[in-house]
Amino acid sequence: MRRMLFEKTGKAIWMSHLDTMRLMQRAFRRAGVVLHHSQGFTPHAYVSMLLPLSVGTESVCEIMEYELDSDLTIRAEDMNAVLPEGVRIREVYQSDRKAKYLTFLDVELTLEYDAGVLPDAAEKINGLFHGSNLIVEKRTKRGMEETDILPMIHRLSVAEQNHLLKLNARISAQNPALNPSLLTAAIERYLPQYRPDFVRYRRVEVYDENGEIFR
């Protein structure tokens, strides 16, 4: 399988998943490489994102899978020359690892407070995520349901840095997936006095079931 590791930062984080897909397909054309398409009345290009990214989330570990119509190869610099600011290909490679083995996701949340961070905020928020359960409303295939998200949090720490709170966590990437925004939702529900005024979300790395970096 042909794959690209890319990042999406700056203003590009406000681009939707579908717009990102269109952008990448257009970049292949501009780089002079033809994507393989399905047959039939509505052919579609064989290109997909392993973990679709929410609008407003920054990432340096996005993985795109694609197929070409020939044995030609494409370099990261070829794609970067035709991509807009904020979207950059980090690596072009081939892998036999199936997407189902992508298990964990490292995320970073930056919590901002207009009036400054309360003295005990880091301790209280850290304690919230190390209890016996943590029930929040989560979207499922059956709709919105009350769900315990603690089993989907495999590692978490909170620290104050430069008048901000940094929350670093390793969470389930799929089956089931945990949206990092639910970490904020838990704070708002159980510790409303520590509710941040603004949160920045960032994907840092992806791992397999053994905790090894997934590529």
Side-chain angles (χ1 to χ4, degrees), residues 37-54:
H37 284 68
S38 62
Q39 303 299 311
F41 292 105
T42 56
H44 65 273
Y46 277 94
V47 57
S48 63
M49 307 299 175
L50 297 197
L51 292 178
L53 186 66
S54 298

Side-chain angles (χ1 to χ4, degrees), residues 122-183:
E123 178 184 357
K124 295 295 185 182
I125 292 175
N126 189 65
L128 174 68
F129 293 104
H130 290 84
S132 57
N133 58 58
L134 192 58
I135 308 299
V136 299
E137 197 172 43
K138 182 179 184 293
R139 185 178 299 280
T140 70
K141 293 180 180 179
R142 298 178 296 274
M144 300 301 293
E145 293 184 355
E146 294 285 286
T147 305
D148 183 5
I149 65 172
L150 275 189
M152 293 175 264
I153 302 172
H154 306 278
R155 183 185 303 167
L156 185 142
S157 64
V158 186
E160 184 174 353
Q161 297 179 14
N162 301 321
H163 309 293
L164 303 168
L165 282 187
K166 292 283 188 178
L167 191 157
N168 291 280
R170 180 164 296 180
I171 60 177
S172 294
Q174 53 184 352
N175 303 318
L178 178 62
N179 191 316
S181 66
L182 293 182
L183 303 178

Side-chain angles (χ1 to χ4, degrees), residues 18-150:
L18 289 178
D19 284 340
T20 303
M21 292 283 285
R22 296 187 189 101
L23 170 71
M24 289 301 189
Q25 292 178 48
R26 190 164 58 246
F28 276 105
R29 291 196 299 271
R30 289 179 174 174
V33 177
V34 180
L35 286 167
H36 180 65
H37 284 68
S38 62
Q39 303 299 311
F41 292 105
T42 56
H44 65 273
Y46 277 94
V47 57
S48 63
M49 307 299 175
L50 297 197
L51 292 178
L53 186 66
S54 298
V55 173
T57 298
E58 183 178 75
S59 178
V60 295
C61 60
E62 295 306 286
I63 297 177
M64 177 175 63
E65 203 167 80
Y66 64 97
E67 290 296 338
L68 302 180
D69 259 343
S70 68
D71 293 331
L72 292 176
T73 59
I74 188 167
R75 302 174 302 168
E77 49 264 41
D78 296 330
M79 291 288 284
N80 289 332
V82 295
L83 284 170
E85 182 180 354
V87 181
R88 185 177 71 87
I89 306 300
R90 295 177 55 193
E91 183 181 355
V92 177
Y93 62 100
Q94 292 205 23
S95 174
D96 293 327
R97 307 193 72 186
K98 295 182 179 180
K100 67 180 181 180
Y101 296 120
L102 199 167
T103 307
F104 302 116
L105 173 65
D106 274 2
V107 296
E108 179 185 88
L109 280 65
T110 302
L111 282 56
E112 301 182 6
Y113 297 85
D114 293 342
V117 179
L118 292 175
D120 58 348
E123 178 184 357
K124 295 295 185 182
I125 292 175
N126 189 65
L128 174 68
F129 293 104
H130 290 84
S132 57
N133 58 58
L134 192 58
I135 308 299
V136 299
E137 197 172 43
K138 182 179 184 293
R139 185 178 299 280
T140 70
K141 293 180 180 179
R142 298 178 296 274
M144 300 301 293
E145 293 184 355
E146 294 285 286
T147 305
D148 183 5
I149 65 172
L150 275 189

